[in-house]
Amino acid sequence: MELGNLIWFSCREHPFAVRERHCLDLECSCTDVGLTLTEVDLEGKSLPEPLHFEIRVNLKNGREYRPPRRPPEIQALVREFLVRFPVTRFDEMIDRRRQQREGLRRLEEYTVDAPAKGELLSYSEVVHKEGGVAESGRHYSFFFFHEGRDYLIEDHYCLNPACDCRKVHIEFWERIELPGHPPKVDLWQRLLAAFTLDGRFVEIQFSEGDRQAAEQIARAWGRRFAAQFDTFRRRYAQIKAIGRRSLPKEAPPPPPPAPVATSSASPRRNDRCPCGSGRKYKHCCGRR
């Protein structure tokens, strides 16, 4: 039923891509996950008229939560999914849910040294304690398969809150099997491409091949992940908030001096003296 990020059903010709939606309320104790299944081709691209359905599953017992009424064809797919979907994948979803909640906590607390203009911060570095691909090779934002090569994708953003560049910088790491070490996988940075937050390709840096080949990879990624730019806009705002939080705190200005009460009328002889001595005016300043 399963191969990589796609799943197959016995009665359908094409596979289905599964998208997870977890409850990220840090105070909520639920164990449900919302799954969206969309019919795709072998490269993961949606078909012109794909079959599409949703399931809400309890990750502890693998049962559907409050199933709605569905057409018989969809209901048969749901039953097959719940029976044949590997339990280990539900365990992986529980772990991803935990990681996402930890990432939210880190987003609320993360700070850096005073951000400089042009300084970039990887989103994986913020939300994962171990860091991203450059640090551990374990965490990345997206996986991209292009012309027989595997790429791990990291997204970076400008930290400086005074900079309104509105760009996302996409880093491509190629995953390579080393000769003589079949189980071992190496990572090699191929290129860094910048896109505006509305999806327009603007610039590129690359470490192998010619510019045309590098741009072809970047533009192919941009077309494939066009629907993710809503995510990049949200992350851009989150990184800018980290930049603002990381700026040195300015000391508050000193309070203004208290106003001094003045009066144009002269005190009478038996009034308290206005100098504050507590004596009568005639026995204090009035003597002068």
Side-chain angles (χ1 to χ4, degrees):
M1 182 182 190
E2 179 183 18
L3 178 64
N5 294 323
L6 305 178
I7 63 172
W8 270 260
F9 292 95
S10 58
C11 59
R12 301 295 299 185
E13 176 185 358
H14 295 98
F16 284 70
V18 182
R19 181 182 177 187
E20 304 170 28
R21 299 188 315 279
H22 293 278
C23 171
L24 299 180
D25 183 351
L26 300 180
E27 304 300 325
C28 180
S29 60
C30 74
T31 57
D32 299 337
V33 61
L35 302 177
T36 301
L37 286 81
T38 305
E39 199 169 18
V40 296
D41 62 20
L42 292 178
E43 293 186 353
K45 299 178 181 177
S46 181
L47 298 176
E49 295 182 1
L51 193 61
H52 171 94
F53 62 96
E54 298 183 353
I55 315 174
R56 186 176 177 187
V57 181
N58 186 311
L59 292 174
K60 292 293 187 181
N61 56 30
R63 297 177 182 174
E64 187 176 12
Y65 180 80
R66 294 184 179 178
R69 290 183 177 273
R70 299 184 176 102
E73 180 186 19
I74 300 295
Q75 190 58 37
L77 296 177
V78 171
R79 281 197 300 267
E80 182 176 347
F81 176 86
L82 295 175
V83 170
R84 298 181 57 195
F85 195 69
V87 174
T88 54
R89 288 293 300 273
F90 287 134
D91 294 337
E92 293 171 5
M93 290 180 186
I94 292 174
D95 188 55
R96 280 195 289 273
R97 177 178 178 269
R98 177 188 57 78
Q99 291 179 6
Q100 289 182 18
R101 289 194 172 194
E102 287 180 357
L104 283 179
R105 291 190 180 94
R106 287 176 60 84
L107 277 170
E108 294 176 355
E109 302 169 357
Y110 196 91
T111 58
V112 297
D113 295 334
K117 186 172 183 179
E119 181 181 358
L120 300 179
L121 180 63
S122 161
Y123 193 80
S124 292
E125 183 179 338
V126 176
V127 298
H128 296 291
K129 187 176 181 180
E130 302 87 355
V133 168
E135 289 78 17
S136 66
R138 291 183 55 201
H139 300 293
Y140 53 92
S141 292
F142 302 96
F143 177 82
F144 180 46
F145 180 76
H146 178 68
E147 295 186 347
R149 291 181 168 181
D150 295 337
Y151 298 94
L152 307 183
I153 306 298
E154 287 269 43
D155 48 328
H156 304 254
Y157 305 87
C158 171
L159 260 171
N160 192 329
C163 175
D164 191 29
C165 57
R166 299 192 60 77
K167 293 179 184 177
V168 54
H169 300 260
I170 303 299
E171 188 176 28
F172 293 73
W173 292 83
E174 185 176 356
R175 186 163 60 178
I176 307 169
E177 291 188 3
L178 295 180
H181 300 82
K184 187 174 177 58
V185 174
D186 194 18
L187 297 174
W188 182 28
Q189 184 189 33
R190 288 288 304 279
L191 58 95
L192 180 68
F195 292 79
T196 63
L197 292 180
D198 57 7
R200 182 170 52 87
F201 171 71
V202 288
E203 59 183 309
I204 193 169
Q205 302 171 20
F206 53 95
S207 59
E208 184 204 48
D210 57 22
R211 184 179 187 88
Q212 183 178 0
E215 286 192 7
Q216 183 185 24
I217 296 172
R219 292 182 187 279
W221 176 89
R223 292 190 298 270
R224 177 82 166 273
F225 288 88
Q228 294 293 341
F229 277 85
D230 285 341
T231 299
F232 298 142
R233 285 187 283 271
R234 184 181 72 251
R235 292 182 176 185
Y236 175 88
Q238 291 169 332
I239 298 300
K240 291 295 187 183
I242 291 173
R244 287 190 294 272
R245 187 164 64 238
S246 301
L247 291 173
K249 301 294 187 295
E250 296 182 0
V260 178
T262 59
S263 175
S264 58
S266 299
R268 293 176 295 182
R269 287 172 48 80
N270 291 320
D271 289 345
R272 296 288 182 185
C273 187
C275 74
S277 66
R279 302 169 65 189
K280 291 184 178 182
Y281 178 70
K282 65 183 179 183
H283 296 308
C284 189
C285 296
R287 285 182 171 181
R288 303 170 194 164

